[in-house]
Amino acid sequence: MEPIEASASPPARDDLVARLGRWSAGRGPLYLLLASRLRRLIDEGALPPGTLLPPDRRLAAALAVGRTTVVAAYDALRQEGRLVRRQGSGTRVAAAALPLDAARVKETSNPLFLHLLEAPDDVILLSCAAPDRPPAALAEAYRSLALPAGDLGYHPAGIGALRAAVAARYAARGVPTGPEQILVTTGAQQALALLARLLLAPGDGVLVEAPTYPGALDLFREAAAVPLPVAVGPDGVDVAEAVRVMERHRPALAYVIGRFQNPTGAVLPPLAGRRLVEAANALGVPLVDDEVLADLAFDADACGPPLSSYGEVIGVGSLSKVVWGGLRIGWVRGPAPLVGRLARLKALHDLGSDVPSQLAAVRLFDGYGPVLEGRLRAARAGHGHLRGELARLLPSWSCAPVSGGQTLWVRLPHGDGVSFAQLALRHGVAVLPGATTDALGGSLRHLRLHFLAAPEVLTEAVRRLAAAWAEYGGGPGCGGGPGGGTGAEARIGTGRAFLGGIVV
């Protein structure tokens, strides 16, 4: 983690807030809970010696607590010798707090992933968008498996049957593809990680959408690449600006989500997609299209062809959103020479993805239509239900309908998503703040909410969000907003309390 400067710019402050995770869960005063989570970050090396922490007021505002909570937490750690606080020079992690080489620590600060590392509790996860149960077809696929004989089980590029099945899916969509153009990966996240490792060097530019999938931003930062963000509008990425960025900077990679853009849900029109692909090809910029959500169209006729139908595009896909996140099957589609290089890189890391899962995926592709239609029925219903509940209980929030995918992009009328997400956690709902998705530093008033949960869970989630919003300063009779010490701080600042029927 980079040191947090005294100016506490929103990205640096938000990075620390994200690393804190569900710090306020548990028993005891808030300042002790905050001190406990900061202590763990210091001891694990996530906050190296010398790191300058945000000023009291700025961190308090981001956490939606009173300043006294942060001051007390800092003072507790100062007394332990973990922090040094000096007038005029701020609060720093003490030089002797960690004997390890903390500079080598590389880990995510993305709340999308950090929430998955927390112990199961009463928090409703609207932050991580994925089906919460596998279809019956997956269990049946595993029951009918016949494991191969005379096979070592190491297939760095993937088993032949699955590579052929994925290639056939592309061919059916009008993109001629051979098995040699497919690399099977352990989910789409590994596919992106391999591409980043192979194609990026420190200091390389990467064209990204703003906002975009935060897991990709994590990987590009790990590679020490420089994001070149281009704004996303109702019709997807601003292609004219993207072309200008490619012409000016010649990035080592361009990463886009052409259909059901994550997080906005936008779909890039066919003519714009063709222009983007042709420009990238002409300029020699490898263009990666994240196709993980591409099958989730509420109306199949409403979306144009895939970007790979217009020219050379590196496609990344997976079964995580249509089938289940626990089935760690993803892939890369690209030129055969690139796929060969990626396979050699993957062999270095894991020698190949799990073979039984690949065999199950082959069976699923044989009956993919009913599985997809079942997922789409649930997604359509969840989309309508969540929008209806938001309109009923949070009418001041705005969110446009989407034509597919799995998330809504919500704009708050005031405040910022980072501090509201902290308060929402204390009401039992995890949401993804827009700032974590935006390399331009925008989307501060946005939240990403998924609609994949059961209707009764979505209803309860919105009820909890409405209670949090009233406490945040969004409803009648609430206090002075985040950090003022009148709303949440007055009710939960002294320990475990009940908030809207939720024990926190």
Side-chain angles (χ1 to χ4, degrees), residues 105-249:
V105 174
K106 285 188 177 181
E107 58 190 36
T108 183
S109 61
N110 183 349
L112 190 73
F113 300 140
L114 293 180
H115 286 309
L116 300 177
L117 297 170
E118 298 282 356
D121 51 25
D122 188 41
V123 173
I124 298 174
L125 287 180
L126 292 190
S127 53
C128 186
D132 61 0
R133 65 194 67 187
L138 178 58
E140 180 58 34
Y142 274 104
R143 277 194 294 267
S144 62
L145 284 185
L147 295 178
D151 186 337
L152 291 177
Y154 298 130
H155 297 272
I159 63 173
L162 182 53
R163 298 176 77 189
V166 174
R169 288 282 301 165
Y170 278 96
R173 295 163 60 197
V175 183
T177 303
E180 72 281 357
Q181 294 178 263
I182 301 297
L183 172 80
V184 176
T185 60
T186 306
Q189 188 70 17
Q190 188 190 54
L192 292 173
L194 292 172
L195 286 166
R197 282 182 176 269
L198 184 65
L199 300 178
L200 297 178
D204 281 347
V206 180
L207 187 151
V208 296
E209 298 169 317
T212 191
Y213 168 53
L217 293 179
D218 275 0
L219 292 171
F220 301 150
R221 289 169 182 145
E222 183 190 36
V226 178
L228 303 172
V230 178
V232 169
D235 291 325
V237 67
D238 182 340
V239 171
E241 178 60 20
V243 172
R244 284 192 288 269
V245 168
M246 288 191 290
E247 289 174 340
R248 187 179 308 121
H249 298 283

Side-chain angles (χ1 to χ4, degrees), residues 14 17 62 111-112 115 126-129 211-212 214 261-265 386 390 394 396-400 402 406-425 429-438 442-451 461-462 464-466 468-469 472:
D14 297 348
V17 171
L112 190 73
H115 286 309
L126 292 190
S127 53
C128 186
T212 191
Q261 200 267 349
N262 182 1
T264 67
L386 179 57
L390 290 172
L394 289 161
S396 65
W397 291 17
S398 60
C399 64
V402 295
Q406 53 190 12
T407 60
L408 292 178
W409 188 232
V410 177
R411 180 175 171 82
L412 305 176
H414 61 81
D416 77 89
V418 172
S419 59
F420 175 72
Q422 287 291 308
L423 192 55
L425 268 177
V429 187
V431 297
L432 186 67
T436 65
T437 71
D438 198 324
S443 304
L444 297 179
R445 288 190 179 178
H446 284 84
L447 304 172
R448 195 197 73 174
L449 311 178
H450 79 74
F451 45 77
V462 177
R464 297 182 186 190
L465 289 174
W469 183 245
Y472 188 77

Side-chain angles (χ1 to χ4, degrees), residues 209 257-268 290-300 302-304 376 402-407:
E209 298 169 317
I257 307 172
R259 297 178 68 178
F260 316 121
Q261 200 267 349
N262 182 1
T264 67
V267 176
L268 194 62
D290 188 331
E291 303 173 304
V292 169
L293 302 172
D295 283 345
L296 297 177
F298 296 164
D299 180 359
C303 300
L376 287 174
V402 295
S403 58
Q406 53 190 12
T407 60

